Amino acid sequence: MDLAVALYIVPTPIGNLGDISSRAIDVLNNVKLIACEDTRHSGILLSHFGIETRKTALHDHNERDRADWIIQKLSNGEAVALISDAGTPLISDPGYHLVSAVRNAGYKVIPLPGACAAITALSASGLPSDRFTFEGFLPSKEKGRIDKLTELKEDPRTLIFYESPHRIVHSLESILTALGEDRVIVMAREVTKTFETFLCGTVKEVLEQVKADPNQQKGEIVLMCHGYRLAEDEGIPTVVINTLKLLCEELPLKKASALAGQIHGMKKNALYKYGLENGL
Ligand code: SAM
């Protein structure tokens, strides 16, 4: 196979080795050099497929220096591939500086399609997939997480996060605090692997399941949250109507709607409209 001189972006499996494409194997066999996030980690995958191409490490700490060296290889007429530990390079993985430098130097960058945990999880989540936002990992500190989630609270698109197993309970708690306990979420764990599970429900329900089952606090996780919904589009949940009714016993409808909206993470206008239509 004669490859055009270019930097090839090659996705690798996120769990199931059968998910590598035959084109990916061809490219990895035929480039002169494979830049790997971790040469030892990728070495296992590459030897599984009998690929003996020379490897070099390209990670967050050496990416800028390595880019010049890789551009030199391209200028010598050598095709180079980039892979990460799993999934699509650059997606919460190194590669952005390299791709940008290679393009700026005037060389071709050729992407191969393949596994990506976020897209694979979204496709089976049952959440709206017409519009979504990928947010990578949430901040590790609680304040940062709450600030980030508050910023996203009224975003109508499906929200996608990567999460680590030891932080999953804290992150679910932050989602509950910032987006409200009724926000529908899907937690996809160990996608494409033996213990693949999808937990779906309100954040309160999923948090209870995860706390009750230590197995749900293991493995690799994609968290997805339903986007912000206008109440009139989706019907107002009973729990919100109950709050609104209670507040209306003591407060004018306008104030009660604003408070109920704040408590449940919903738009006050929809609650106000409901109140007017239902004589509250
Ligand atoms: N580049 C990768 C991709 O295309 O999906 C993502 C790399 S990022 C460093 C690793 C994170 O992706 C994990 O912490 C987890 O959140 C998510 N992830 C990777 N593989 C997964 C899997 N099989 N199931 C669920 N989540 C996965």
Side-chain angles (χ1 to χ4, degrees):
M1 189 195 196
D2 217 7
L3 280 182
V5 175
L7 172 67
Y8 292 82
I9 309 300
V10 183
T12 54
I14 55 168
N16 187 325
L17 292 184
D19 292 334
I20 198 155
S21 72
S22 56
R23 184 174 170 218
I25 293 175
D26 279 349
V27 167
L28 293 173
N29 262 319
N30 288 287
V31 289
K32 287 278 183 289
L33 180 73
I34 304 176
C36 310
E37 184 181 1
D38 177 337
T39 49
R40 271 202 301 182
H41 180 98
S42 296
I44 300 167
L45 177 89
L46 296 172
S47 24
H48 176 86
F49 291 105
I51 296 164
E52 292 174 350
T53 309
R54 182 180 165 202
K55 302 185 282 295
T56 188
L58 183 130
H59 41 68
D60 286 337
H61 306 294
N62 73 353
E63 193 178 339
R64 284 183 166 83
D65 296 340
R66 266 299 138 98
D68 292 339
W69 185 71
I70 288 171
I71 290 168
Q72 191 64 46
K73 297 277 167 208
L74 294 167
S75 75
N76 292 342
E78 297 180 21
V80 179
L82 172 68
I83 61 174
S84 61
D85 285 354
T88 301
L90 281 86
I91 306 302
S92 289
D93 270 339
Y96 160 68
H97 294 291
L98 175 65
V99 169
S100 152
V102 167
R103 280 202 172 279
N104 287 338
Y107 292 97
K108 265 176 126 177
V109 181
I110 299 183
L112 272 66
C116 173
I119 300 299
T120 311
L122 176 67
S123 70
S125 67
L127 292 174
S129 54
D130 51 342
R131 295 178 70 206
F132 58 87
T133 169
F134 172 65
E135 295 291 328
F137 288 90
L138 278 166
S140 55
K141 299 224 167 75
E142 192 191 359
K143 178 170 180 332
R145 269 198 309 273
I146 298 279
D147 287 352
K148 180 79 201 160
L149 287 161
T150 305
E151 194 186 295
L152 294 166
K153 183 175 175 179
E154 296 196 2
D155 194 319
R157 298 169 295 177
T158 296
L159 312 175
I160 308 179
F161 303 99
Y162 282 163
E163 197 43 270
S164 76
H166 67 272
R167 276 211 302 262
I168 185 64
V169 169
H170 297 308
S171 288
L172 288 170
E173 283 168 347
S174 296
I175 292 173
L176 188 143
T177 306
L179 306 187
E181 63 179 34
D182 294 325
R183 183 69 70 109
V184 168
I185 70 162
V186 176
M187 179 177 129
R189 201 175 61 85
E190 295 291 86
V191 176
T192 78
K193 303 188 208 175
T194 311
F195 297 107
E196 175 179 292
T197 48
F198 279 75
L199 297 183
C200 314
T202 64
V203 58
K204 184 166 180 266
E205 290 163 348
V206 173
L207 178 59
E208 276 164 13
Q209 286 182 71
V210 171
K211 277 184 169 167
D213 179 0
N215 284 328
Q216 294 299 333
Q217 298 169 38
K218 292 180 186 156
E220 298 194 279
I221 297 166
V222 180
L223 262 183
M224 292 159 285
C225 304
H226 199 296
Y228 185 76
R229 291 194 251 204
L230 282 175
E232 67 259 38
D233 290 343
E234 299 290 339
I236 303 171
T238 318
V239 61
V240 184
I241 291 172
N242 289 343
T243 309
L244 184 65
K245 282 182 178 163
L246 256 178
L247 290 169
C248 278
E249 286 174 15
E250 303 292 334
L251 298 167
L253 176 60
K254 203 168 175 190
K255 182 85 188 145
S257 307
L259 277 176
Q262 241 179 6
I263 294 167
H264 293 287
M266 295 185 71
K267 285 232 158 97
K268 62 183 178 193
N269 294 355
L271 301 181
Y272 184 68
K273 186 165 166 263
Y274 175 91
L276 285 179
E277 285 168 2
N278 290 277
L280 295 182

